[in-house]
Amino acid sequence: MCTVVVEVPDRPDDPTRVLAVRDEDPLRAWDPPGEWWEAHPGVIGVRDRRAGGAWLAADGSRGALAVLVNRATPPLDPADAPESRGTLPLAVIAGEPVPERPRTEGFNLIEVDGGRCRVTSWDGSELSTQQLRPGVHMIAHDDVDDPRTARIRRWLPEFAALAGLPNDDWREAWLGLLRSTTAVGPLDDQAIIRDNHPYGIPTMSLLICTAEVREGAVDLDSIVLPTPGVWAG
């Protein structure tokens, strides 16, 4: 139940801004942003040690970033031998297309290319791609900007109000707003920094990434939460 906020610029020569909050089982081993994949030199990302894939991957030389959010879909039949979704961010960063019928559970895959952004969604039966218009968007486990998702309904207008800030100010402002969202508590359905156990999912917010993506450059920062599901200050 990760959350991604994206600001797509009016002009494609300007950078795209990204705030991504990773929710995962705290007992599942992972690595923070780094160059973890010999088959993908120059790519930095957040690695899942168990399956070897990425939650987020970025290639600064291309000015490209991809981040994966699990989508709420019925589970696949184990007989279908689902593949890890973590292969997808690495594949699209390498320029490979998303398969027409992925052998994975559902997902929303956010792909940033300089000043452009698109979201590819797989609900287990249909694959769709949406080019995001300029402005601020939120993506979680349903559709883009979906008001059915409580945290999007609650916080998207406030993130949208921060659009167009100067390059030196946006990170501080976005992280300040993220901090203010924690007032609802991690168990609230409106929470972005979350503890998903009440929903039968053993995941909690573990990592915050911010990125500014422009042609030929990715400026990526990250904050590991020392206590899962709790704002780090």
Side-chain angles (χ1 to χ4, degrees), residues 158-171:
E158 298 205 25
F159 276 104
L162 300 178
L165 291 174
N167 288 347
D168 293 339
D169 298 339
W170 77 271
R171 274 191 170 91

Side-chain angles (χ1 to χ4, degrees), residues 34 193 229:
I193 304 295

Side-chain angles (χ1 to χ4, degrees), residues 24-214:
E24 184 51 271
D25 185 342
L27 300 180
R28 182 164 179 152
W30 60 283
D31 295 301
E35 294 190 40
W36 303 112
W37 300 277
E38 291 185 4
H40 300 278
V43 171
I44 62 172
V46 178
R47 180 176 67 169
D48 172 55
R49 291 186 191 173
R50 182 187 300 177
W55 169 69
L56 177 150
D59 184 344
S61 65
R62 288 186 51 216
L65 178 146
V67 60
L68 185 77
V69 176
N70 293 352
R71 190 176 173 93
T73 54
L76 291 179
D77 188 324
D80 291 336
E83 299 174 355
S84 170
R85 288 171 283 206
T87 61
L88 295 168
L90 293 171
V92 297
I93 285 294
E96 301 173 16
V98 177
E100 291 185 5
R101 292 197 61 79
R103 294 181 57 82
T104 70
E105 304 281 4
F107 60 80
N108 289 322
L109 179 64
I110 299 98
E111 302 173 61
V112 180
D113 181 7
R116 295 167 293 274
C117 181
R118 65 178 180 179
V119 178
T120 299
S121 300
W122 170 242
D123 63 5
S125 61
E126 183 178 357
L127 189 75
S128 63
T129 300
Q130 177 181 355
Q131 196 77 29
L132 298 189
R133 67 186 185 279
V136 177
H137 305 274
M138 285 185 73
I139 304 97
H141 56 278
D142 289 312
D143 294 335
V144 176
D145 300 336
D146 196 330
R148 294 175 298 174
T149 307
R151 76 199 94 146
I152 291 177
R153 186 172 62 249
R154 173 63 181 86
W155 302 112
L156 177 56
E158 298 205 25
F159 276 104
L162 300 178
L165 291 174
N167 288 347
D168 293 339
D169 298 339
W170 77 271
R171 274 191 170 91
E172 182 178 357
W174 284 33
L175 289 172
L177 175 53
L178 180 62
R179 177 187 180 186
S180 73
T181 71
T182 63
V184 300
L187 302 179
D188 194 290
D189 202 24
Q190 298 180 100
I192 297 176
I193 304 295
R194 304 177 60 83
D195 179 345
N196 295 305
H197 284 84
Y199 309 100
I201 304 171
T203 62
M204 306 172 77
S205 298
L206 305 179
L207 177 72
I208 303 164
C209 288
T210 59
E212 192 169 79
V213 185
R214 64 177 74 242

